[in-house]
């Protein structure tokens, strides 16, 4: 079944006429993703790689009522409006690629979407891929392969790194979700653990964390609290990051004495989650957990 | 972006949170004049962004304008945890009876602003939270609804104040929240919020951190932020790189923040010391890669440059071209270790090998090599 | 509370929605002077709150100040659907090329503001909605989130405008929404929003209704609302009764709006004509009941007073006492029919019967009696 | 089981120290309602008819974690804050007696409560009673009796009138809900129809409408759309009300050509709902619908 996106995912691309939007529309189509429509205000009537462009998500949904997923490439100043537009138009999963969104804006739309029952993936994320079914994101599709490992990650390329290793090992992924590198994201690790728990295809979960915040600690606490049934392997980036400095991601900062890698690793280990010391080690631990090899 | 205390206090005044009268001194004469205006006695506070300036001797009390002059002379130019003191906040000293705590922070766990208050201020709030969490009142504010009267009541009622003081604290809380939201703050803190001998509430210290992503809405701060960068930081910023300076000798370039951090971590795991963190982001072309590599190759501390790229949108051939060019210009006396994988990997490796550089497939192997090279140089 | 057109237009100006230049005339001289200032030509519009003044001859065009004087003389003092014209809005006439429609209304069905727009303005929007609903664009605004750019785009794009006009309409929409929210409106309407011969967007008419429950936040309107009440309405308001005047001869008092309405309905059902609606609310004491009953007994149209009380918090004995007292003072030539049930019913009935009044148990029986009495009087 | 309130309803009274709050606390206690706590800011530590008073709902809930229902008597200027306080403290059903609340305020808190999954009854309502189980409101308890008719009404005393007749006829009520006389209310007729549909005790439903808005029309449309299984009888007040005048309730106004009684009656009749012409006739129609007598 996979989670968040699958064969029944019908995608509208918000910001389709931009450089990024257009490039990744092509890449998603090539992957086999059902991209039915694009939106750029004022550019309705055009088409991008054969995908019709509309002035609003409302128009797109009127023409393509099967649309259930949106991917947003619009610049940060307009991203928040794009989210509300998608949610109000009835979209169920919104993948927000855009980075540099002010946190006061994202607090609001994330709260709104959650209350409305809409899943927001991101902001500042590479998107979601359920290999062989649908890719709604900017990740290189070829490093992923259909399989049994669910991945939830705060980082993009690090996900590809780990996914590639998992693919090479023949395990494959059920779904890989880049939840985003911002301090506050729509889907968090607990949300993903819950979804993977219900997903029959997923036999093990990989969590890729990094410094900043306490999402990993809360995930660990959740795993313990609910006696999570599936094996979980983690990797945490930023063991060598100095406090008080943002490491690329808006969310990757050790601040006010909290959010360092050691605390996260300790939390994971305390609840039985194996923590890899290098990305390559993730596969070794996964195999152990799944009693393979 | 962290603001200086004096900037935070200026914002407080703007939002009708009354702070003790103060002036900013950039010279001992300034300090003397301000102390004079304040009636002679004054407190001098080093304006630095690092925490813990009190213990580091960055706060002094002057009994006279002359003493203010003498103290300012000592304070200005001193270094506190590596940060040079360029200015002093010279302020009316407050006769403190009690110290309270009040702050508003973006709470990542709940995705909302949370207001923290305590009737025991003045100390480190994290310490208090760890030691006596029951002494902290924490109120979450729904971002869609905003601050309501019942939130404010819970804070105000927990402080052990008289009715008149409660009214003042209520206004301070409302105004601080307004500031917090309107200026896109990550943190707005008053610690201590003093009760003076006359029973007045006085914000003695002020701390404000503004969301970097919102600086486009606050141009004045954006400019100041740029002005303070080091030469290397400024150049990295110009090209849109995420760049953090560290104290080792292995320069690190990666694409993607997580991968770059992991690269640093692996280098450290194998006994090396990263000189920096540089993330070129996604889809960098040859010229951008060249600029990134040149920047690090020029850095005096960097002996070995370790480039770790997993090509997705980023194409390995573009990376290779950029590296070869940078090395040709700035590579003298430096070593390059490259790990390339992904889009156009073959072509990238071909370009590198024609320039005599071999590329690794595994980041672990590459890291080991980089550490080894750095040790023998 | 409905505002006059001139009040609405003043608010529009305050919120940067540009309306055609105008003045308010209370005398023909005023009208002449204003027309003079406007350059001679002007449109004169009767300021009344009832709808349909255009068809009733309440809008006239003057070609000269003198004609404005003459027309004003005719308009001032005339009655439109029973409402006297006390003032005229004298305004620059607009050369209308096209008429658009824009309004924001509290939508009861969805519990949110909805913005209605149409490229066919000038006509009755309900009529248009019934006839050609596809010509109306309706956008709901989530009350927690407020107006967003995508809402405004949908409205602006549907009007068939040029780019420059779109920008203007965007600002009008944003400002109208701001007014709507900040002034607690139930309705803010521009109909027509004209496009003049030069392509400019001009709000020709303006309608604003403010939520009565929010008048405590807008004292200036609250005072005007009170000033306009009839003698009976003002007295009812003073005592906190809900009171509406009708044209029949049976005065109606009930406790609770629904019950009072149902009482009117039953009276009508049996062939009677209610003279009014008066709800004494919950828990009224004897003195309040006395005031309500006295008010209606004093009313020249009322022949029979029908009181229908279902005692819950309201006590029947208190009601009875109040009625007996009112009847003693103002009952001459009037008849009273009472239906009492509920709390302290026995005691209430005893009090009434000692004063020679019998009370009914069923509101239907009581209503029949009241109708019968009114017919024979 | 009844709906909204029942034996497991534990009540906090917001505004308990006021005249109304105190009076009805006594009346609810007398009825047998489990009133555990009251709230009036600044009056924590007092008690009202033996009920302990707290400074905040938060404090009350901390001391009485079983609290799940609130009834609000605070003046209109403070009512909206009281709602948010109750919702944020985890209360599940909020009965808002207060009238004269600005509609822009109620649009917001009603939306918020709905998104949070909290039921708001009111504003401007008499409350809810499930006879014999719990009374959370200001209605006279003695006119109600345990039975099989669910009532949803926009009016207070008219509900008592009808309930009294139903009681006399021996049918009794499962739950009677005064949804409130304001233009926008938390629970509407469709919400109540849905709840009564799921409630085994409820064998028939009485809807008491009045002029203003289109809640009755929407309820009729709902009854038709879902082929509502239980018999529904309606009464609509205001057949003789003139257009443009508010008849006591903020919501009772025929405005812009909509909301008159005839339209509502027609809508009900068109979907098979019998409409009584007097309150007394409701019982006759109910008996017919239930094939009694």
């Amino acid at each position: 079944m996979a989670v968040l996106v699958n064969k029944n995912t019908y995608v509208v691309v918000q910001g389709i006429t931009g450089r990024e939007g257009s490039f990744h529309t092509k890449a998603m189509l090539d992957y086999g993703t059902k991209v039915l429509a694009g939106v750029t205000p004022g550019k309705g009537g055009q088409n991008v790689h054969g995908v019709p462009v509309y002035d609003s998500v409302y128009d797109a949904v009127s023409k393509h009522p099967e649309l259930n997923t949106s991917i947003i490439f619009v610049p940060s100043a307009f991203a928040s409006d794009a989210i509300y537009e998608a949610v109000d138009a009835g979209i169920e999963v919104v993948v927000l690629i855009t980075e540099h969104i002010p946190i006061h804006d994202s607090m609001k739309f994330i709260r709104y979407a959650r209350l409305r029952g809409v899943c927001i993936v991101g902001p500042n994320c590479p998107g979601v891929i359920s290999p062989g079914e649908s890719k709604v994101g900017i990740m290189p599709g070829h490093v992923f392969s259909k399989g049994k490992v669910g991945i939830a990650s705060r980082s993009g390329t690090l996900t590809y790194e780990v996914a590639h290793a998992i693919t090479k090992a023949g395990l494959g992924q059920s779904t890989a979700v880049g939840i985003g590198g911002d301090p506050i994201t729509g889907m968090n690790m607990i949300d993903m653990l819950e979804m993977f728990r219900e997903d029959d295809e997923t036999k093990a979960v990989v969590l890729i964390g990094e410094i900043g915040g306490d999402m990993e600690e809360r995930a660990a606490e959740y795993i313990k609290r609910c006696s999570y049934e599936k094996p979980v392997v983690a990797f945490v980036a930023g063991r060598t990051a100095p406090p008080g400095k943002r490491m690329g991601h808006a969310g990757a900062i050790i601040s006010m004495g909290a959010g360092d890698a050691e605390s996260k690793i300790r939390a994971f280990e305390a609840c039985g989650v194996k923590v890899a010391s290098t990305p390559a080690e993730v596969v070794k631990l996964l195999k152990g957990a799944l009693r393979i090899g | 972006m962290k603001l200086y205390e004096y900037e935070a206090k200026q914002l407080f005044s703007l939002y009708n949170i009354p702070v003790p009268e103060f002036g900013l001194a950039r010279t001992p004469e300034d300090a003397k004049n301000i102390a004079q205006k304040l009636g002679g006695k004054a407190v001098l506070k080093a304006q630095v962004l690092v925490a813990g300036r009190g213990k580091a001797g960055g706060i002094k009390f002057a009994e006279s304008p002359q003493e203010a002059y003498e103290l300012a002379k000592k304070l200005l130019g001193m270094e506190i945890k590596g940060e040079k003191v360029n200015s002093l906040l010279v302020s009316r000293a407050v006769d403190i009876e009690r110290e309270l705590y009040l702050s508003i922070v973006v709470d990542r766990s709940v995705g909302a602003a949370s207001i923290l208050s305590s009737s025991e201020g003045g100390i480190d709030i994290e310490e208090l939270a760890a030691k006596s969490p029951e002494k902290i009142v924490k109120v979450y504010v729904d971002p869609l609804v905003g601050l309501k009267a019942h939130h404010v009541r819970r804070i105000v009622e927990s402080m052990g104040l008289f009715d008149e003081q409660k009214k003042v604290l209520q206004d301070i809380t409302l105004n601080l929240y307004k500031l917090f939201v309107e200026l896109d703050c990550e943190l707005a803190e008053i610690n201590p919020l003093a009760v003076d001998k006359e029973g007045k509430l006085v914000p003695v210290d002020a701390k404000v951190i503004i969301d970097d992503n919102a600086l486009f809405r606050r141009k004045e701060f954006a400019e100041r932020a740029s002005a303070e960068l080091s030469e290397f930081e400024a150049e990295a910023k110009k090209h849109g790189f995420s760049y953090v300076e560290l104290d080792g000798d292995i320069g690190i370039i990666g694409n993607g923040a997580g991968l770059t951090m992991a690269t640093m971590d692996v280098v450290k795991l194998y006994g090396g010391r990263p000189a920096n963190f540089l993330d070129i982001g996604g889809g960098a072309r040859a010229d951008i890669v060249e600029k990134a590599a040149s920047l690090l190759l020029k850095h005096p501390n960097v002996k070995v440059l370790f480039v770790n790229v997993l090509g997705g949108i980023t194409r390995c051939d573009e990376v290779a071209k950029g590296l070869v060019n940078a090395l040709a210009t700035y590579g003298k006396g430096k070593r390059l270790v490259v790990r390339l994988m992904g889009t156009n990997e073959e072509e990238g490796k071909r370009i590198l090998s024609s320039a005599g550089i071999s590329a690794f497939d595994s980041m672990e192997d590459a890291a080991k090599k980089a550490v080894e090279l750095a040790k023998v140089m």
Side-chain angles (χ1 to χ4, degrees), chain A residues 23-24 100-105 107-108 111-112 115 138 140 142 154-155 157-158 160-161 164 183-184 210-214 218 235-242 245-253 256 277-280, chain B residues 105-109 111-113 126 142-144 180-181 184-187 211-214 216-217 233 242 244 246 255-259 261-262 264-266 268-270 277 285 310-313 339 341-343 363-364:
Chain A
F23 178 86
H24 289 291
H100 299 310
I101 297 179
I103 196 160
H104 282 260
D105 295 355
M107 279 197 285
K108 275 192 200 150
R111 176 71 170 155
Y112 182 63
L115 290 176
I138 61 172
H142 63 272
R154 288 174 62 192
S155 154
T157 25
L158 200 47
Y160 316 157
E161 180 81 38
H164 182 72
I184 297 174
E210 62 187 31
I211 55 161
D214 63 350
R218 283 181 288 132
F235 177 78
V236 179
R239 295 181 198 228
T240 50
K245 299 278 184 187
R246 275 190 208 287
M247 306 305 281
H249 284 156
I253 182 168
M256 297 190 269
S277 57
T278 69
Chain B
V105 62
V106 169
D107 191 308
R108 296 172 61 149
S109 319
E126 284 93 41
D142 191 296
L144 293 175
F180 178 80
V181 169
D184 282 290
C185 295
E186 290 180 0
L187 172 77
D211 177 11
D212 290 337
N213 284 341
F216 72 94
R217 302 201 265 236
E233 287 167 339
S242 293
V244 176
L246 303 164
N255 63 328
L259 184 69
M261 263 192 279
M264 284 169 42
D265 293 351
V266 175
K268 183 81 174 287
L269 185 70
Y270 295 135
F277 164 100
R285 300 290 177 83
L310 196 154
I313 332 168
R339 184 270 185 137
M341 199 182 82
T343 311
M363 71 182 270
E364 286 80 1

Side-chain angles (χ1 to χ4, degrees), chain A residues 142-158:
Chain A
H142 63 272
V143 306
F144 297 87
S145 61
K146 195 166 181 60
K148 59 180 82 170
V149 181
I151 304 180
S153 168
R154 288 174 62 192
S155 154
T157 25
L158 200 47

Side-chain angles (χ1 to χ4, degrees), chain A residues 7-44:
Chain A
K7 285 201 173 74
N8 302 317
T9 291
Y10 297 92
V11 178
V12 54
V13 178
Q14 290 180 258
I16 194 170
T17 57
R19 201 173 62 90
E20 294 269 294
S22 157
F23 178 86
H24 289 291
T25 295
K26 176 78 166 52
M28 287 189 282
L29 287 169
D30 289 348
Y31 192 81
T33 304
K34 289 154 184 145
V35 181
L36 303 191
V39 168
T40 299
K43 307 234 166 139

